[in-house]
Structure formats: C-alpha cells, structure tokens
Amino acid sequence: MTNTIEAPRTPARPARNRGTNWEKWGWIYMRASGVVLIVLIFGHLFMNLIVGDGVSAIDFGFVAGKWADPFWQWWDVLMLWLALIHGANGMRTIVNDYTNPGTVQKVLKGALFGAAAVLIVLGTLVVFTFEPCPPVSADMADLLPSFCSA
C-alpha cells in the first residue's frame, strides 16, 4: 500500500448573492439602446437632411413644424433619453474602471447621474412645451416668426 498525499481541498465558495445583477442589465441596455439609437439617429438625419430642401431648410420654422407633430416629438424625446442614459452609463463604466471605490467614485457617479437627469428633464420640457407662436401684444408682433399670425 502506497502513501499518497492529497492536495488540500479548496474552501467552499460563499453563496452567490441572488440580488439584481446591475452590471449585466447595464451591459444589455448598452447593446439594445445602441441598436435603437442607430435607427433613431439615421431616421432623424434622413428626415432633416435628405427629405425636402436639405440642410439649408433647417431653421426655426422647420423645427416648429416638425415638433407640431406628436410623432416627431416622441421620436426626438426617445432619442434624447436613450442617448443620455447610454452616454451616462458608458461614463459610469469608465469611472468604475479608472477610480478606486470610495468617495471620489461616488462623487463622480453622482455628478453623472445629476447631469443626465437635469438634461433629460430640460430636454423633455423643451420638446413638449415648445410654442413657436406665443401670444404677444400688438407692439411686439414684429418679433414673431413669419409663419405666425399676429
């Protein structure tokens, strides 16, 4: 009978946390939003630059006419939301990669979240509250765009 020496056993791994895997969902979001953003951006460029008179036709009146249609309002808002969240998530990944966990990382992530939230709120308000022909007094009627009736 030979004496064999067995290697020590590896200790059992601790039980895996069963909570939400936010890194996985962030990864999935980046891929899905990237595909949707490609469609939204190229649709936006096609409608603004190729259909009609091209880039020379883009002015205040063009935007006013486009945002008079709820379809284009939602198109632009969806593009805004996806792009800002996509960009903020990408920046969050960079912050995770290049900073150590701690106060600096928390401050940077908080700043990213705050900037994205403010821009999303302001951008959404601009799109849905845009009024190209606001009510004005008669002496200010000459300040209105040419397509507005005084």
Side-chain angles (χ1 to χ4, degrees):
M1 191 159 147
T2 60
N3 289 338
T4 58
I5 300 174
E6 293 183 21
R9 295 188 64 156
T10 340
R13 291 184 185 178
R16 188 169 169 224
N17 183 2
R18 296 287 179 203
T20 305
N21 186 347
W22 291 110
E23 287 299 319
K24 177 182 88 170
W25 287 109
W27 185 89
I28 291 170
Y29 174 80
M30 292 299 275
R31 273 67 189 166
S33 67
V35 171
V36 175
L37 276 168
I38 288 172
V39 172
L40 291 172
I41 290 167
F42 280 106
H44 175 83
L45 290 172
F46 179 78
M47 288 306 297
N48 289 347
L49 301 177
I50 298 182
V51 174
D53 295 331
V55 73
S56 62
I58 297 177
D59 59 4
F60 184 83
F62 177 84
V63 174
K66 190 174 172 194
W67 282 352
D69 183 357
F71 175 80
W72 290 113
Q73 286 180 326
W74 282 105
W75 184 285
D76 287 350
V77 163
L78 182 60
M79 188 169 50
L80 171 82
W81 278 60
L82 287 175
L84 281 170
I85 295 170
H86 186 97
N89 192 34
M91 289 301 297
R92 179 196 60 83
T93 302
I94 291 171
V95 167
N96 281 343
D97 287 346
Y98 289 100
T99 62
N100 294 323
T103 306
V104 172
Q105 194 176 72
K106 287 179 184 174
V107 168
L108 290 173
K109 286 182 184 179
L112 280 171
F113 175 79
V118 166
L119 290 172
I120 285 171
V121 168
L122 291 177
T124 304
L125 283 171
V126 165
V127 171
F128 287 119
T129 62
F130 181 73
E131 180 57 56
C133 299
V136 294
S137 60
D139 59 328
M140 297 183 67
D142 58 331
L143 297 175
L144 288 174
S146 60
F147 56 82
C148 294
S149 58

mmCIF file of all heavy atoms in Angstrom, residues 33-49 66 72 75-76 78-80 82-83 86:
data_model
loop_
_atom_site.group_PDB
_atom_site.id
_atom_site.type_symbol
_atom_site.label_atom_id
_atom_site.label_comp_id
_atom_site.label_asym_id
_atom_site.label_seq_id
_atom_site.Cartn_x
_atom_site.Cartn_y
_atom_site.Cartn_z
ATOM 1 N N SER A 33 -29.918 49.653 -26.515
ATOM 2 C CA SER A 33 -30.088 51.076 -26.802
ATOM 3 C C SER A 33 -29.225 51.504 -27.978
ATOM 4 O O SER A 33 -29.616 52.374 -28.761
ATOM 5 C CB SER A 33 -29.775 51.933 -25.576
ATOM 6 O OG SER A 33 -28.403 51.869 -25.244
ATOM 7 N N GLY A 34 -28.057 50.883 -28.135
ATOM 8 C CA GLY A 34 -27.200 51.204 -29.276
ATOM 9 C C GLY A 34 -27.875 50.887 -30.599
ATOM 10 O O GLY A 34 -27.826 51.685 -31.543
ATOM 11 N N VAL A 35 -28.536 49.742 -30.670
ATOM 12 C CA VAL A 35 -29.240 49.362 -31.906
ATOM 13 C C VAL A 35 -30.405 50.308 -32.170
ATOM 14 O O VAL A 35 -30.589 50.793 -33.296
ATOM 15 C CB VAL A 35 -29.734 47.894 -31.810
ATOM 16 C CG1 VAL A 35 -30.649 47.549 -32.964
ATOM 17 C CG2 VAL A 35 -28.545 46.944 -31.762
ATOM 18 N N VAL A 36 -31.187 50.607 -31.140
ATOM 19 C CA VAL A 36 -32.327 51.509 -31.312
ATOM 20 C C VAL A 36 -31.844 52.915 -31.672
ATOM 21 O O VAL A 36 -32.434 53.589 -32.526
ATOM 22 C CB VAL A 36 -33.213 51.524 -30.037
ATOM 23 C CG1 VAL A 36 -34.324 52.550 -30.157
ATOM 24 C CG2 VAL A 36 -33.791 50.143 -29.774
ATOM 25 N N LEU A 37 -30.759 53.361 -31.059
ATOM 26 C CA LEU A 37 -30.221 54.689 -31.360
ATOM 27 C C LEU A 37 -29.755 54.801 -32.807
ATOM 28 O O LEU A 37 -29.915 55.862 -33.425
ATOM 29 C CB LEU A 37 -29.070 55.035 -30.416
ATOM 30 C CG LEU A 37 -29.487 55.602 -29.066
ATOM 31 C CD1 LEU A 37 -28.311 55.625 -28.103
ATOM 32 C CD2 LEU A 37 -30.088 56.975 -29.215
ATOM 33 N N ILE A 38 -29.203 53.747 -33.353
ATOM 34 C CA ILE A 38 -28.792 53.784 -34.763
ATOM 35 C C ILE A 38 -29.997 54.067 -35.649
ATOM 36 O O ILE A 38 -29.948 54.916 -36.545
ATOM 37 C CB ILE A 38 -28.086 52.476 -35.168
ATOM 38 C CG1 ILE A 38 -26.699 52.438 -34.525
ATOM 39 C CG2 ILE A 38 -27.988 52.329 -36.678
ATOM 40 C CD1 ILE A 38 -25.975 51.126 -34.693
ATOM 41 N N VAL A 39 -31.107 53.384 -35.391
ATOM 42 C CA VAL A 39 -32.330 53.605 -36.178
ATOM 43 C C VAL A 39 -32.841 55.033 -35.971
ATOM 44 O O VAL A 39 -33.169 55.731 -36.943
ATOM 45 C CB VAL A 39 -33.418 52.568 -35.784
ATOM 46 C CG1 VAL A 39 -34.747 52.895 -36.444
ATOM 47 C CG2 VAL A 39 -32.969 51.164 -36.144
ATOM 48 N N LEU A 40 -32.912 55.475 -34.726
ATOM 49 C CA LEU A 40 -33.419 56.814 -34.436
ATOM 50 C C LEU A 40 -32.539 57.912 -35.046
ATOM 51 O O LEU A 40 -33.055 58.875 -35.633
ATOM 52 C CB LEU A 40 -33.514 57.028 -32.920
ATOM 53 C CG LEU A 40 -34.582 56.232 -32.187
ATOM 54 C CD1 LEU A 40 -34.420 56.388 -30.680
ATOM 55 C CD2 LEU A 40 -35.968 56.638 -32.623
ATOM 56 N N ILE A 41 -31.244 57.774 -34.915
ATOM 57 C CA ILE A 41 -30.335 58.812 -35.415
ATOM 58 C C ILE A 41 -30.364 58.877 -36.934
ATOM 59 O O ILE A 41 -30.453 59.965 -37.518
ATOM 60 C CB ILE A 41 -28.910 58.582 -34.883
ATOM 61 C CG1 ILE A 41 -28.864 58.868 -33.378
ATOM 62 C CG2 ILE A 41 -27.895 59.436 -35.629
ATOM 63 C CD1 ILE A 41 -27.607 58.392 -32.695
ATOM 64 N N PHE A 42 -30.299 57.717 -37.601
ATOM 65 C CA PHE A 42 -30.320 57.759 -39.059
ATOM 66 C C PHE A 42 -31.679 58.209 -39.593
ATOM 67 O O PHE A 42 -31.759 58.877 -40.619
ATOM 68 C CB PHE A 42 -29.867 56.427 -39.660
ATOM 69 C CG PHE A 42 -28.377 56.286 -39.678
ATOM 70 C CD1 PHE A 42 -27.735 55.447 -38.783
ATOM 71 C CD2 PHE A 42 -27.606 57.026 -40.558
ATOM 72 C CE1 PHE A 42 -26.354 55.334 -38.777
ATOM 73 C CE2 PHE A 42 -26.222 56.920 -40.567
ATOM 74 C CZ PHE A 42 -25.594 56.071 -39.676
ATOM 75 N N GLY A 43 -32.772 57.870 -38.890
ATOM 76 C CA GLY A 43 -34.089 58.392 -39.266
ATOM 77 C C GLY A 43 -34.144 59.904 -39.108
ATOM 78 O O GLY A 43 -34.674 60.622 -39.957
ATOM 79 N N HIS A 44 -33.567 60.394 -38.022
ATOM 80 C CA HIS A 44 -33.503 61.833 -37.756
ATOM 81 C C HIS A 44 -32.698 62.541 -38.847
ATOM 82 O O HIS A 44 -33.143 63.553 -39.410
ATOM 83 C CB HIS A 44 -32.857 62.043 -36.383
ATOM 84 C CG HIS A 44 -32.617 63.452 -36.004
ATOM 85 N ND1 HIS A 44 -33.595 64.254 -35.447
ATOM 86 C CD2 HIS A 44 -31.503 64.222 -36.083
ATOM 87 C CE1 HIS A 44 -33.083 65.455 -35.206
ATOM 88 N NE2 HIS A 44 -31.823 65.459 -35.589
ATOM 89 N N LEU A 45 -31.531 62.010 -39.164
ATOM 90 C CA LEU A 45 -30.690 62.621 -40.201
ATOM 91 C C LEU A 45 -31.359 62.564 -41.573
ATOM 92 O O LEU A 45 -31.298 63.526 -42.342
ATOM 93 C CB LEU A 45 -29.322 61.926 -40.247
ATOM 94 C CG LEU A 45 -28.410 62.179 -39.048
ATOM 95 C CD1 LEU A 45 -27.174 61.298 -39.118
ATOM 96 C CD2 LEU A 45 -28.043 63.642 -38.950
ATOM 97 N N PHE A 46 -32.003 61.443 -41.878
ATOM 98 C CA PHE A 46 -32.678 61.306 -43.174
ATOM 99 C C PHE A 46 -33.778 62.352 -43.315
ATOM 100 O O PHE A 46 -33.870 63.034 -44.340
ATOM 101 C CB PHE A 46 -33.253 59.893 -43.315
ATOM 102 C CG PHE A 46 -33.973 59.667 -44.607
ATOM 103 C CD1 PHE A 46 -33.268 59.437 -45.773
ATOM 104 C CD2 PHE A 46 -35.360 59.696 -44.648
ATOM 105 C CE1 PHE A 46 -33.932 59.232 -46.970
ATOM 106 C CE2 PHE A 46 -36.032 59.500 -45.834
ATOM 107 C CZ PHE A 46 -35.318 59.262 -47.005
ATOM 108 N N MET A 47 -34.605 62.487 -42.283
ATOM 109 C CA MET A 47 -35.717 63.436 -42.363
ATOM 110 C C MET A 47 -35.235 64.893 -42.373
ATOM 111 O O MET A 47 -35.832 65.740 -43.021
ATOM 112 C CB MET A 47 -36.686 63.238 -41.191
ATOM 113 C CG MET A 47 -37.495 61.980 -41.292
ATOM 114 S SD MET A 47 -38.397 61.826 -42.849
ATOM 115 C CE MET A 47 -39.492 63.205 -42.763
ATOM 116 N N ASN A 48 -34.163 65.183 -41.665
ATOM 117 C CA ASN A 48 -33.700 66.569 -41.568
ATOM 118 C C ASN A 48 -32.810 66.990 -42.725
ATOM 119 O O ASN A 48 -32.796 68.168 -43.086
ATOM 120 C CB ASN A 48 -32.952 66.792 -40.259
ATOM 121 C CG ASN A 48 -33.882 66.775 -39.074
ATOM 122 O OD1 ASN A 48 -35.093 66.842 -39.208
ATOM 123 N ND2 ASN A 48 -33.321 66.652 -37.900
ATOM 124 N N LEU A 49 -32.052 66.072 -43.299
ATOM 125 C CA LEU A 49 -31.059 66.465 -44.286
ATOM 126 C C LEU A 49 -31.373 66.023 -45.715
ATOM 127 O O LEU A 49 -30.944 66.676 -46.663
ATOM 128 C CB LEU A 49 -29.685 65.915 -43.882
ATOM 129 C CG LEU A 49 -29.185 66.372 -42.514
ATOM 130 C CD1 LEU A 49 -27.867 65.708 -42.185
ATOM 131 C CD2 LEU A 49 -29.075 67.879 -42.446
ATOM 132 N N LYS A 66 -41.938 70.540 -37.402
ATOM 133 C CA LYS A 66 -41.662 69.148 -37.047
ATOM 134 C C LYS A 66 -42.231 68.823 -35.666
ATOM 135 O O LYS A 66 -42.846 67.784 -35.460
ATOM 136 C CB LYS A 66 -40.153 68.907 -37.084
ATOM 137 C CG LYS A 66 -39.763 67.471 -36.958
ATOM 138 C CD LYS A 66 -38.263 67.293 -37.145
ATOM 139 C CE LYS A 66 -37.878 65.885 -36.813
ATOM 140 N NZ LYS A 66 -36.456 65.711 -36.656
ATOM 141 N N TRP A 72 -43.032 63.160 -34.093
ATOM 142 C CA TRP A 72 -41.658 63.653 -34.082
ATOM 143 C C TRP A 72 -41.237 64.130 -32.701
ATOM 144 O O TRP A 72 -40.050 64.059 -32.343
ATOM 145 C CB TRP A 72 -41.460 64.754 -35.133
ATOM 146 C CG TRP A 72 -41.526 64.166 -36.490
ATOM 147 C CD1 TRP A 72 -42.484 64.385 -37.434
ATOM 148 C CD2 TRP A 72 -40.618 63.208 -37.055
ATOM 149 N NE1 TRP A 72 -42.227 63.626 -38.551
ATOM 150 C CE2 TRP A 72 -41.086 62.893 -38.350
ATOM 151 C CE3 TRP A 72 -39.468 62.588 -36.607
ATOM 152 C CZ2 TRP A 72 -40.439 61.997 -39.183
ATOM 153 C CZ3 TRP A 72 -38.816 61.696 -37.434
ATOM 154 C CH2 TRP A 72 -39.303 61.405 -38.704
ATOM 155 N N TRP A 75 -40.311 60.878 -31.096
ATOM 156 C CA TRP A 75 -39.084 60.385 -31.738
ATOM 157 C C TRP A 75 -37.866 61.078 -31.122
ATOM 158 O O TRP A 75 -36.904 60.425 -30.720
ATOM 159 C CB TRP A 75 -39.155 60.660 -33.240
ATOM 160 C CG TRP A 75 -37.995 60.130 -34.042
ATOM 161 C CD1 TRP A 75 -36.744 60.636 -34.094
ATOM 162 C CD2 TRP A 75 -38.006 58.986 -34.899
ATOM 163 N NE1 TRP A 75 -35.969 59.897 -34.943
ATOM 164 C CE2 TRP A 75 -36.709 58.881 -35.449
ATOM 165 C CE3 TRP A 75 -38.980 58.071 -35.259
ATOM 166 C CZ2 TRP A 75 -36.375 57.878 -36.348
ATOM 167 C CZ3 TRP A 75 -38.642 57.071 -36.163
ATOM 168 C CH2 TRP A 75 -37.354 56.977 -36.687
ATOM 169 N N ASP A 76 -37.918 62.413 -31.058
ATOM 170 C CA ASP A 76 -36.787 63.178 -30.536
ATOM 171 C C ASP A 76 -36.585 62.967 -29.040
ATOM 172 O O ASP A 76 -35.449 62.908 -28.566
ATOM 173 C CB ASP A 76 -36.960 64.666 -30.857
ATOM 174 C CG ASP A 76 -36.718 64.967 -32.331
ATOM 175 O OD1 ASP A 76 -36.242 64.074 -33.062
ATOM 176 O OD2 ASP A 76 -37.007 66.100 -32.760
ATOM 177 N N LEU A 78 -37.401 60.216 -27.349
ATOM 178 C CA LEU A 78 -36.840 58.875 -27.186
ATOM 179 C C LEU A 78 -35.351 58.876 -27.521
ATOM 180 O O LEU A 78 -34.539 58.280 -26.806
ATOM 181 C CB LEU A 78 -37.591 57.878 -28.071
ATOM 182 C CG LEU A 78 -37.161 56.419 -27.972
ATOM 183 C CD1 LEU A 78 -37.343 55.894 -26.552
ATOM 184 C CD2 LEU A 78 -37.949 55.569 -28.957
ATOM 185 N N MET A 79 -34.989 59.573 -28.587
ATOM 186 C CA MET A 79 -33.581 59.676 -28.965
ATOM 187 C C MET A 79 -32.785 60.385 -27.854
ATOM 188 O O MET A 79 -31.685 59.951 -27.496
ATOM 189 C CB MET A 79 -33.454 60.429 -30.298
ATOM 190 C CG MET A 79 -32.073 60.427 -30.881
ATOM 191 S SD MET A 79 -31.995 61.023 -32.574
ATOM 192 C CE MET A 79 -32.890 62.551 -32.511
ATOM 193 N N LEU A 80 -33.330 61.442 -27.310
ATOM 194 C CA LEU A 80 -32.678 62.180 -26.226
ATOM 195 C C LEU A 80 -32.469 61.294 -25.003
ATOM 196 O O LEU A 80 -31.362 61.206 -24.467
ATOM 197 C CB LEU A 80 -33.519 63.407 -25.855
ATOM 198 C CG LEU A 80 -33.088 64.171 -24.615
ATOM 199 C CD1 LEU A 80 -31.952 65.105 -24.972
ATOM 200 C CD2 LEU A 80 -34.245 64.940 -24.029
ATOM 201 N N LEU A 82 -32.587 57.928 -24.658
ATOM 202 C CA LEU A 82 -31.689 56.792 -24.877
ATOM 203 C C LEU A 82 -30.234 57.241 -24.978
ATOM 204 O O LEU A 82 -29.336 56.607 -24.418
ATOM 205 C CB LEU A 82 -32.092 56.020 -26.133
ATOM 206 C CG LEU A 82 -33.356 55.181 -26.029
ATOM 207 C CD1 LEU A 82 -33.693 54.563 -27.378
ATOM 208 C CD2 LEU A 82 -33.227 54.095 -24.980
ATOM 209 N N ALA A 83 -29.985 58.333 -25.704
ATOM 210 C CA ALA A 83 -28.612 58.800 -25.883
ATOM 211 C C ALA A 83 -28.006 59.271 -24.556
ATOM 212 O O ALA A 83 -26.846 58.947 -24.251
ATOM 213 C CB ALA A 83 -28.571 59.926 -26.910
ATOM 214 N N HIS A 86 -27.524 56.182 -22.297
ATOM 215 C CA HIS A 86 -26.447 55.380 -22.890
ATOM 216 C C HIS A 86 -25.083 56.023 -22.594
ATOM 217 O O HIS A 86 -24.145 55.346 -22.161
ATOM 218 C CB HIS A 86 -26.685 55.279 -24.406
ATOM 219 C CG HIS A 86 -25.741 54.385 -25.129
ATOM 220 N ND1 HIS A 86 -26.051 53.083 -25.439
ATOM 221 C CD2 HIS A 86 -24.510 54.606 -25.632
ATOM 222 C CE1 HIS A 86 -25.044 52.544 -26.091
ATOM 223 N NE2 HIS A 86 -24.087 53.452 -26.227
#
